[in-house]
Amino acid sequence: MPTRKSAPPAALRPTPPPPNPEPVDKKNWPLWEIFIRSRQGLSHRHVGSLHAADAEMAVENARDVYTRRQEGASIWVVPANAITASSPDEKDVLFDPADDKVYRHPTFYDLPDEVKHM
Amino acid sequence: MEMDLLQRFEAYIASDKKIEPKDWMPDAYRKTLIRQISQHAHSEIVGMLPEGNWISRAPSLKRKAILMAKVQDEAGHGLYLYSACETLGVQRDDTIADLHSGKAKYSSIFNYPTLNWADIGAIGWLVDGAAIMNQVPLCKCSYGPYARAMVRVCKEESFHQRQGFQIMMTMAGGTEDQKAMAQDALNRWWWPSLMMFGPPDDDSPNSAQSMAWNIKRFSNDELREKFVDLTVPQADLLGLTIPDPDLKWNEETGHYEFGEIDWSEFKRVVSGHGPCNKERIETRRTAWDNGEWVRDAANAHAEKRAARRAAADTAAA
């Protein structure tokens, strides 16, 4: 295997900060959505949002705003305008395909009482 | 179309479902929430000022660390609430400008001065106690982002009340002078704390609509009564006297009866003529203006970092 001379393996490098969402608006800083992993083994969860001039500042502010009581093991900050959301008005249509598929649930299947642990 | 949307909104409210930011909502519901949440946020921010006054004067390092943690929490609570408010389509800076121009209100309790250390105890015990009483039902309010912010706030706030009660216990159990200071603080904060629940039900024009929308769950008078019932025994425990000669237990109703609240004072303070209204807003404005170089520096730093990153990307390409 060739030895790597320059950069350490990707896994050992800190994740590069994401590009800024847009040129900094001097007045209203961009809005960032904040996701916190409360401890190893759990997924990141949305906790709220905040304003910051750039991604690094968003991480630092998120530390102060959302983890004052050891609530965090990891923080994600995502530019709010980078999120594409489904429309609540189309909610019924969008989720409709799952409505008539009860057979996707284990409770759909009747089993004889003799069958245990299935 | 509009009718369908309104029907769906009302069905959600009727079945106690949450309304989320992108859901259709009546304009009046949106406006009510913007007003209430922004006022709530402003109250957290202005609420830092009476206590901030005592950070450098706290009687011990421990008390100082605790008070700083409490004031930091209040900054955090303001930020959760501003974020919740923004989901309704307002800009943060505009909201703050409304506070500074006097257009937006905040809780009138913060227009009273903190004269001695016992006031910090009384604020935690009474003012935070009343705030919690108001805020707990808001954890179930119909607007999702507001309800979620309140859950966080309530979780964090219970230490605020306990630390205040502990200060009162220490002072009430101290020297005669210390006990007198605690009593004096109770005398000055008691009535303004009762006013925190807002005008009496028969003089609270927006309450009915807010209750119909599940923003408000209990009336002002109901919450006030609950607060008095809980707090009077705590004052007894402290050996302090509630400054109300008409206060008495009613065996039949199972509640305390209390004296007439001076609503003319409430109206005076709300309309800008309390002891500290001018000073509070002036302090906020000055803080904003003095912070301009910090915001400028953060902008410059962000631009510098972005330029460096762009240069590195070009070099790598």
Side-chain angles (χ1 to χ4, degrees):
Chain A
M1 228 171 109
T3 47
R4 215 183 285 266
K5 269 183 191 162
S6 52
L12 297 182
R13 283 200 306 267
T15 320
N20 279 317
E22 61 198 50
V24 174
D25 172 354
K26 296 271 157 100
K27 195 161 162 276
N28 279 297
W29 281 340
L31 187 68
W32 302 80
E33 296 300 331
I34 312 301
F35 299 81
I36 306 267
R37 182 202 298 288
S38 54
R39 58 186 163 83
Q40 299 296 109
L42 298 177
S43 41
H44 287 75
R45 206 175 143 201
H46 183 243
V47 292
S49 56
L50 52 76
H51 288 272
D54 66 6
E56 287 90 341
M57 187 181 174
V59 170
E60 285 157 12
N61 288 359
R63 193 267 319 263
D64 293 341
V65 177
Y66 292 106
T67 67
R68 286 191 304 283
R69 286 173 176 77
Q70 301 171 296
E71 292 97 333
S74 161
I75 298 173
W76 286 351
V77 301
V78 179
N81 64 4
I83 292 176
T84 307
S86 63
S87 157
D89 299 334
E90 289 157 18
K91 197 169 107 199
D92 296 344
V93 186
L94 186 65
F95 297 106
D96 168 76
D99 286 353
D100 57 357
K101 297 181 179 63
V102 278
Y103 45 84
R104 283 179 171 162
H105 299 276
T107 45
F108 178 75
Y109 301 91
D110 286 330
L111 294 181
D113 290 345
E114 290 76 13
V115 178
K116 310 274 186 208
H117 309 298
M118 186 183 280
Chain B
M1 183 62 181
E2 180 94 338
M3 204 53 225
D4 293 350
L5 292 170
L6 182 63
Q7 269 168 3
R8 193 175 65 181
F9 171 83
E10 280 171 352
Y12 270 35
I13 297 284
S15 60
D16 231 348
K17 262 194 199 163
K18 300 284 183 225
I19 308 297
E20 294 294 346
K22 295 203 163 159
D23 292 334
W24 184 91
M25 59 188 89
D27 271 350
Y29 177 80
R30 187 185 297 276
K31 273 190 195 136
T32 298
L33 281 170
I34 290 173
R35 183 176 45 85
Q36 180 169 340
I37 302 174
S38 67
Q39 281 182 14
H40 198 158
H42 298 328
S43 300
E44 297 284 353
I45 299 299
V46 177
M48 293 193 279
L49 301 177
E51 293 178 301
N53 184 39
W54 284 91
I55 290 177
S56 58
R57 300 175 176 88
S60 70
L61 193 56
K62 184 181 101 181
R63 295 286 187 200
K64 182 174 175 151
I66 292 171
L67 186 56
M68 280 199 322
K70 180 175 190 290
V71 172
Q72 281 172 334
D73 272 354
E74 274 143 19
H77 298 173
L79 293 174
Y80 308 154
L81 287 159
Y82 282 130
S83 295
C85 194
E86 275 179 293
T87 63
L88 293 157
V90 291
Q91 296 271 320
R92 173 83 50 105
D93 284 25
D94 295 340
T95 313
I96 292 172
D98 284 347
L99 171 68
H100 294 176
S101 72
K103 191 177 153 202
K105 302 244 181 298
Y106 54 89
S107 179
S108 61
I109 191 84
F110 301 118
N111 291 315
Y112 291 87
T114 40
L115 303 180
N116 72 52
W117 175 253
D119 288 32
I120 298 304
I123 287 180
W125 173 38
L126 301 173
V127 176
D128 288 288
I132 292 170
M133 196 70 78
N134 269 328
Q135 287 171 164
V136 167
L138 287 172
C139 296
K140 288 187 176 177
C141 90
S142 59
Y143 188 57
Y146 192 24
R148 291 190 286 274
M150 286 334 294
V151 170
R152 296 186 69 92
V153 168
C154 288
K155 231 186 241 173
E156 297 180 353
E157 204 126 293
S158 64
F159 115 71
H160 296 187
Q161 191 184 15
R162 287 181 179 210
Q163 66 86 38
F165 190 74
Q166 202 197 43
I167 291 174
M168 293 304 273
M169 266 189 344
T170 309
M171 293 194 76
T175 62
E176 277 308 306
D177 283 349
Q178 286 169 328
K179 188 171 180 181
M181 280 165 77
Q183 181 63 54
D184 171 59
L186 170 57
N187 293 349
R188 282 178 292 108
W189 291 95
W190 175 253
W191 292 105
S193 297
L194 295 193
M195 294 176 199
M196 282 178 72
F197 297 95
D201 293 349
D202 52 20
D203 187 26
S204 180
N206 302 323
S207 278
Q209 181 61 77
S210 284
M211 287 179 92
W213 278 330
N214 282 348
I215 296 173
K216 209 173 159 69
R217 298 271 172 170
F218 300 98
S219 81
N220 295 352
D221 287 334
E222 281 172 326
L223 290 168
R224 190 168 11 247
E225 181 177 79
K226 216 168 145 191
F227 176 75
V228 172
D229 286 347
L230 273 179
T231 311
V232 173
Q234 294 168 358
D236 291 344
L237 196 72
L238 291 170
L240 299 177
T241 310
I242 303 276
D244 179 357
D246 297 324
L247 184 78
K248 60 172 186 287
W249 176 250
N250 184 324
E251 198 71 56
E252 268 171 45
T253 60
H255 295 292
Y256 282 94
E257 281 170 13
F258 48 94
E260 193 64 35
I261 293 171
D262 181 1
W263 292 111
S264 64
E265 175 181 328
F266 175 75
K267 284 184 181 136
R268 205 163 52 239
V269 179
V270 167
S271 62
H273 304 288
C276 300
N277 297 54
K278 288 207 178 71
E279 185 190 325
R280 299 290 184 236
I281 291 299
E282 205 42 56
T283 308
R284 283 309 311 153
R285 278 200 208 119
T286 309
W288 180 259
D289 293 344
N290 288 349
E292 192 174 354
W293 72 269
V294 180
R295 295 191 295 278
D296 288 346
N299 281 335
H301 191 56
E303 275 166 11
K304 192 178 75 184
R305 277 199 287 216
R308 269 199 203 140
R309 220 161 20 238
D313 287 351
T314 317

